[in-house]
Amino acid sequence: MPSQSFLMLATALLSSVLVSPVAGQLYTDCNPLNATCPADPALGTEHTFYFNATPPTGTFNTTAGTVDYSVDQGAAFTINKKGESPTLISNFYFFFGRTEVHLKAASGTGIISSIVWSSDVLDEVDWEFLGGNATHASTNYFGKGQPDFHNAGYHPVDGGVQDDYHNYTCVWTKEKLEWYIDTKLIRTLLPEDANNTLYYPQTPMKLSLGIWAGGDPDQPKGTIEWAGGVTDYSRPYTMYVKSAQVEDYSTGKEYSYGDHSGSWESIKIASGNSTAYENINRQPEKSLSEKWNDLPSSTKSGVYAAAGGVGALLFVALAFYYIRQRRRGKQEAALLAQRQEQERVELERFKKEGRNPDALAFDGADYDAKSGMATTTYAMDSPPGSAAGPPEKAWDPTGSGATGAAMPLLRDDAMSPHHANSGSGFSGSPQNNNFSPVRSQSPGLPPQFPPPASPVNRSFSPSNAPGRMGSPGAQSSYGVPRINSPAPNRGPGSPGSPGAGHGPYGGYGGAR
């Protein structure tokens, strides 16, 4: 053996003596050597955990940091700062069995990569890799938590422990415990060699994979020396684990201690499937494509038919909606075109007549008090015969064809009541308790009204025509306001009389 290798081995052996009291002191929630403790859940089967993804739910817990998973490198355990020691700890126990871990150790002074078995009574089996020693792997064991300064062993690894993955395997029975590197047996422990079986690991174990800083400045001096020196936290340190195969040589649901001896004979095995077994064998949620592929062909045909029917209904509904919308659009377009054509025709008519459609006259009738005539004005845009337009054959006394024509407000012909009663002082008989304000013709005076050139059209009665019988508006004579009902006979000086006792009306001022 070269002198350098011999020196490194001697240093490692010395360090193992210094670290043994520390490495053997694990923690347990309940120690069956001193108390009655809950049963431990069993693995009860064999399974290989591939760390290209998160382990099955309920199989491992992550403590003191984070673990990252990747397809190429597996699980990455990284120390980024002081106080971190990321670790995966199994939720299951195996009672005698085998583990095979493919691991690449981290480099760095004071950094420890580890594979650890541990039990409730602090039995322990270790693989440890010092970051300052790239060529050797360390093996160790403890029984009942008791320190032993001569249990560690250091073994050279072909190709080194930090540059590539290696297979680190332990096989454990009640007869012996064996360590293998890349399927090569490197160490065997017999029960009689472990203080006559007292310190031989023999109780149900759980598996831990992790990295920690033995060279942390807060560690005891002996631990720092064993780890190879003080750890520098200025850079990260990473251990990689691709897979871990775990086989439980016992089958059952859980393991419990029958007494406080801590011997394998005291372990009781409950039958049934363990929680870990159920978690490992639980079928993952299938994707939609996988669920579809699992359907029988008859079900698929039914689904296709139903989908086709639904698609056809949707197509018909969309087609109906499209056709209806097109019809409605056509109708609205036709109505719009009709309105536009009407407006165009009307505008053309206005242009031909030389009228401005924005300056149309107000519809109505005006009264001329001086001439006693009512002038009807029709809307310029209303055709003859319409409600707002002139009659079709409107009377035109001047023959000028004007849109506004004057007409006499009162009759003065043989039909007038004053012709029948020309000798009396009244101008006519009362009708509807009203008297016509028409006077008889006085000799030597010009006629009150010009004789009509043609019969008067009595169908038109302006609302403000004075002295009209049955007129719904206020009655007036020559501009004097009148009321619809006659008042009692008044004497001289009454309103509406031009003078008391004068004029052709005698004592009356006018017909009431």
Side-chain angles (χ1 to χ4, degrees), residues 347-399:
L347 184 59
E348 289 294 331
R349 181 169 61 85
F350 287 159
K351 290 180 179 180
K352 289 180 181 179
E353 296 175 357
R355 292 185 293 170
N356 183 4
D358 295 329
L360 300 178
F362 176 77
D363 293 359
D366 296 330
Y367 170 71
D368 188 352
K370 182 177 181 180
S371 64
M373 307 297 286
T375 301
T376 303
T377 304
Y378 301 102
M380 297 298 293
D381 59 343
S382 301
S386 65
E392 293 182 1
K393 294 181 179 180
W395 173 61
D396 185 0
T398 63

Side-chain angles (χ1 to χ4, degrees), residues 171-466:
V171 178
W172 172 48
T173 64
K174 62 180 182 292
E175 288 84 14
K176 61 182 178 180
L177 173 61
E178 298 174 325
W179 287 263
Y180 294 82
I181 297 178
D182 294 332
T183 70
K184 180 181 178 181
L185 179 63
I186 60 167
R187 182 179 181 181
T188 300
L189 174 66
L190 301 177
E192 54 268 25
D193 295 331
N195 195 14
N196 196 23
T197 73
L198 181 61
Y199 296 156
Y200 182 77
Q202 54 191 291
T203 52
M205 300 280 194
K206 60 184 176 181
L207 172 65
S208 299
L209 306 172
I211 183 174
W212 60 288
D216 187 274
D218 293 339
Q219 291 284 2
K221 181 179 179 181
T223 302
I224 295 174
E225 292 178 354
W226 165 80
V230 176
T231 299
D232 178 10
Y233 289 106
S234 63
R235 69 177 185 89
Y237 305 97
T238 304
M239 175 190 81
Y240 296 96
V241 179
K242 275 194 172 182
S243 64
Q245 181 184 16
V246 185
E247 182 178 0
D248 189 351
Y249 285 173
S250 301
T251 58
K253 180 178 180 180
E254 57 188 17
Y255 305 119
S256 58
Y257 292 79
D259 55 34
H260 302 298
S261 65
S263 65
W264 66 268
E265 292 94 347
S266 68
I267 304 301
K268 297 180 179 180
I269 304 173
S271 62
N273 291 331
S274 67
T275 302
Y277 178 89
E278 294 175 353
N279 290 333
I280 291 169
N281 293 281
R282 180 181 292 118
Q283 292 295 326
E285 184 68 21
K286 292 184 178 181
S287 65
L288 290 177
S289 60
E290 291 173 336
K291 292 179 179 179
W292 174 256
N293 293 332
D294 291 342
L295 292 176
S297 58
S298 59
T299 303
K300 292 180 181 179
S301 300
V303 173
Y304 286 136
V310 172
L313 290 175
L314 289 176
F315 177 79
V316 171
L318 289 174
F320 175 77
Y321 176 78
Y322 174 76
I323 294 172
R324 187 181 67 175
Q325 290 298 105
R326 282 185 58 85
R327 289 178 178 175
R328 181 178 297 175
K330 289 181 179 180
Q331 293 174 356
E332 293 177 353
L335 291 175
L336 177 60
Q338 183 179 1
R339 288 196 298 269
Q340 291 176 344
E341 178 63 18
Q342 291 175 351
E343 293 175 357
R344 187 192 65 78
V345 171
E346 189 174 30
L347 184 59
E348 289 294 331
R349 181 169 61 85
F350 287 159
K351 290 180 179 180
K352 289 180 181 179
E353 296 175 357
R355 292 185 293 170
N356 183 4
D358 295 329
L360 300 178
F362 176 77
D363 293 359
D366 296 330
Y367 170 71
D368 188 352
K370 182 177 181 180
S371 64
M373 307 297 286
T375 301
T376 303
T377 304
Y378 301 102
M380 297 298 293
D381 59 343
S382 301
S386 65
E392 293 182 1
K393 294 181 179 180
W395 173 61
D396 185 0
T398 63
S400 62
T403 57
M407 70 178 69
L409 298 178
L410 300 175
R411 298 182 58 159
D412 192 14
D413 54 15
M415 297 300 294
S416 177
H418 79 273
H419 284 280
N421 301 285
S422 59
S424 65
F426 295 96
S427 62
S429 301
Q431 297 181 17
N432 296 331
N433 296 327
N434 287 299
F435 295 92
S436 172
V438 179
R439 299 180 183 183
S440 61
Q441 180 64 40
S442 299
L445 294 178
Q448 294 280 339
F449 302 96
S454 61
V456 179
N457 183 359
R458 297 307 298 264
S459 63
F460 174 77
S461 178
S463 62
N464 58 350

